[in-house]
């Protein structure tokens, strides 16, 4: 059977998203070419490197890039497009799918400009506007790309829905969602022992985590019976060390706080997740990319969503972040205490039901399911373009 020719391009920075995408490609159906930089290529897993039939290492010149990408391909997936807009405006065609990581930065930058009234932020904004908008004319080039492009792919169903609702005039350009991870295939061993384990994944810093919500979690557990262990499964930044020390002092004897001042390895992270009874995601809704405001759950995804999909463990997540699952407990600042108590009681009371939900989740998001769905979507795209 003749294979479809698929070309994936990543020249900016998302090596992890690229690695996941490559692994999900069925190489019995697609002949894969990948154009990327040496730095990004070297970060790919060996498994991904073996799946690439034709690796093209970008040397920094647009002439060589044009040769790489203008070949006879059935579909081209641009994994990230965050630079070199003057080049790309000439090389986007109906075969191109552009993955969007930051909706506001792409589609409404003027209304999304954000800065704090301090010298550092003002200087950063002025420098960006002069270098990128005035000298490189990125705004003009990006507008041309948006007009030429026919297919935008978003990293989650929630960001896809937000795009369609916010930009109805170009909603027809919304393409299928490409998975960013899959569920672990490890056998479910979920159980509640004498210590109830709560895990907060990700780097511990105030621009990513709402420290007030973390304090509220500890305050709530201080008033509950039983033993609790809260593990921060990510590096604590230097700026956040004092917060963690204060948190340890806040916690009563039956609430243990564990955190790391160094990078948490994949092996460590997996081991922590295997013991976890409940995930806690204390997200800050508003974040920033370059000088533009982005909003988790609406205009961009959080790594927390990938952690939930991969491990399928019961989770407390902010109600501004839409994830539909029987394993999800949505909360806000007002009802956090109630939702913490409810989730702990549910898990302790009916662990077999939780395991049942976890198995359903695992089946829905397992590697084969994610790969087969992506294959069908790509084939339909090619055959109906």
């Amino acid at each position: 059977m003749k294979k479809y020719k698929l070309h994936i391009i990543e020249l900016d920075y998302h090596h992890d998203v690229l690695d996941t995408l490559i692994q999900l490609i069925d190489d019995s159906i697609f002949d894969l070419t990948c154009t990327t930089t040496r730095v990004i290529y070297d970060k790919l897993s060996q498994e991904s490197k073996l799946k690439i039939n034709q690796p093209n290492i970008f040397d920094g010149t647009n002439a060589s890039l044009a040769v790489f990408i203008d070949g006879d391909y059935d579909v081209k997936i641009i994994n990230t497009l965050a630079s070199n807009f003057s080049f790309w405006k000439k090389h986007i065609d109906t075969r191109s799918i552009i993955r969007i990581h930051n909706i506001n930065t792409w589609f409404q930058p003027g209304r999304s400009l954000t800065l704090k009234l301090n010298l550092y932020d003002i200087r950063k904004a002025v420098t960006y506007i002069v270098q990128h908008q005035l000298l490189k004319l990125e705004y003009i080039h990006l507008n041309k790309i948006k007009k030429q492009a026919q297919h935008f792919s978003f990293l989650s169903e929630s960001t896809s829905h937000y795009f369609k609702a916010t930009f109805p005039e170009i909603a027809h350009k919304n393409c299928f969602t490409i998975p960013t991870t899959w569920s672990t295939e490890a056998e479910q061993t979920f159980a509640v022992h004498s210590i109830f384990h709560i895990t907060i994944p990700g780097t511990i810093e105030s621009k990513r985590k709402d420290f007030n919500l973390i304090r509220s979690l500890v305050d709530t557990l201080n008033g509950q019976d039983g033993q609790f262990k809260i593990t921060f499964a990510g590096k604590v930044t230097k700026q956040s060390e004092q917060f963690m020390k204060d948190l340890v002092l806040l916690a009563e004897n039956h609430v243990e706080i564990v955190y790391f001042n160094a990078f948490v390895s994949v092996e460590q992270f997996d081991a922590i997740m295997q013991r976890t009874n409940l995930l806690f995601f204390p997200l800050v809704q508003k974040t920033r990319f370059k000088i533009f405001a982005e909003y988790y759950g609406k205009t961009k995804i959080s790594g927390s969503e990938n952690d939930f999909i991969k491990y399928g463990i019961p989770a407390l997540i902010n109600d501004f972040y839409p994830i539909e699952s029987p394993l999800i407990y949505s909360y806000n600042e007002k009802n956090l205490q109630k939702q913490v108590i409810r989730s702990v009681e549910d898990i302790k009371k009916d662990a077999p039901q939780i395991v049942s939900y976890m198995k359903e989740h695992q089946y829905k998001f397992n590697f084969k399911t994610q790969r087969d769905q992506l294959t069908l979507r790509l084939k339909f795209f090619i055959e109906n373009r």
Side-chain angles (χ1 to χ4, degrees), residues 168-225:
E169 69 281 3
I170 53 173
H172 63 280
K173 293 188 177 186
N174 181 66
C175 196
F176 55 84
T177 300
I178 298 173
T180 52
T181 190
W182 55 85
S183 63
T184 177
E185 296 185 8
E187 185 176 350
Q188 301 293 0
T189 56
F190 185 86
V192 181
H193 299 291
S194 56
I195 299 176
F196 191 96
H197 291 266
I198 299 174
T199 297
I200 302 176
T203 303
I204 310 304
E205 55 183 345
S206 58
K207 70 178 183 180
R208 297 172 186 265
K209 304 275 192 293
D210 187 327
F211 284 3
N212 288 328
L213 295 176
I214 296 173
R215 289 191 193 95
S216 295
L217 171 69
V218 174
D219 276 334
T220 300
L221 296 178
N222 280 343
Q224 300 302 302
D225 294 330

Side-chain angles (χ1 to χ4, degrees), residues 103-289:
I103 291 178
N104 281 347
T105 303
W106 258 78
F107 296 101
Q108 49 186 10
R111 286 189 287 167
S112 304
L113 184 66
T114 183
L115 69 158
K116 298 175 182 177
L117 295 180
N118 59 60
L119 184 60
Y120 173 79
D121 264 47
I122 293 171
R123 182 183 298 165
K124 179 179 178 180
V126 170
T127 301
Y128 179 86
I129 291 169
V130 171
Q131 288 184 351
H132 294 270
Q133 308 301 342
L134 298 181
L135 297 179
K136 294 184 179 180
L137 302 176
E138 286 188 354
Y139 183 77
I140 294 173
H141 299 319
L142 181 58
N143 278 340
K144 290 183 178 179
I145 291 172
K146 287 186 287 188
K147 288 179 181 178
Q148 292 170 345
Q150 297 301 308
H151 310 287
F152 298 115
S153 176
F154 300 90
L155 274 65
S156 70
E157 294 301 330
S158 63
T159 53
S160 175
H161 292 156
Y162 178 83
F163 171 78
K164 288 185 286 187
T166 308
F167 307 99
E169 69 281 3
I170 53 173
H172 63 280
K173 293 188 177 186
N174 181 66
C175 196
F176 55 84
T177 300
I178 298 173
T180 52
T181 190
W182 55 85
S183 63
T184 177
E185 296 185 8
E187 185 176 350
Q188 301 293 0
T189 56
F190 185 86
V192 181
H193 299 291
S194 56
I195 299 176
F196 191 96
H197 291 266
I198 299 174
T199 297
I200 302 176
T203 303
I204 310 304
E205 55 183 345
S206 58
K207 70 178 183 180
R208 297 172 186 265
K209 304 275 192 293
D210 187 327
F211 284 3
N212 288 328
L213 295 176
I214 296 173
R215 289 191 193 95
S216 295
L217 171 69
V218 174
D219 276 334
T220 300
L221 296 178
N222 280 343
Q224 300 302 302
D225 294 330
Q227 296 291 316
F228 297 92
K229 183 175 183 178
I230 305 173
T231 302
F232 291 80
K235 181 180 178 180
V236 174
T237 62
K238 195 171 279 290
Q239 294 80 3
S240 303
E241 286 179 356
Q242 188 57 52
F243 166 76
M244 294 306 302
K245 291 176 182 177
D246 293 342
L247 200 68
V248 170
L249 295 176
L250 175 65
E252 296 189 3
N253 291 336
H254 67 288
V255 180
E256 181 184 1
I257 306 289
V258 176
Y259 63 92
F260 303 89
N261 290 317
F263 175 76
V264 177
S265 69
V266 174
E267 292 76 19
Q268 278 180 299
F269 193 84
D270 283 340
I272 292 167
M273 288 297 186
Q274 286 173 15
R275 297 190 298 268
T276 298
N277 300 121
L278 178 66
L279 293 169
F280 180 54
F281 299 126
L283 302 180
V284 173
Q285 184 175 18
K286 183 180 178 181
T287 185
R288 185 165 68 169
F289 178 72

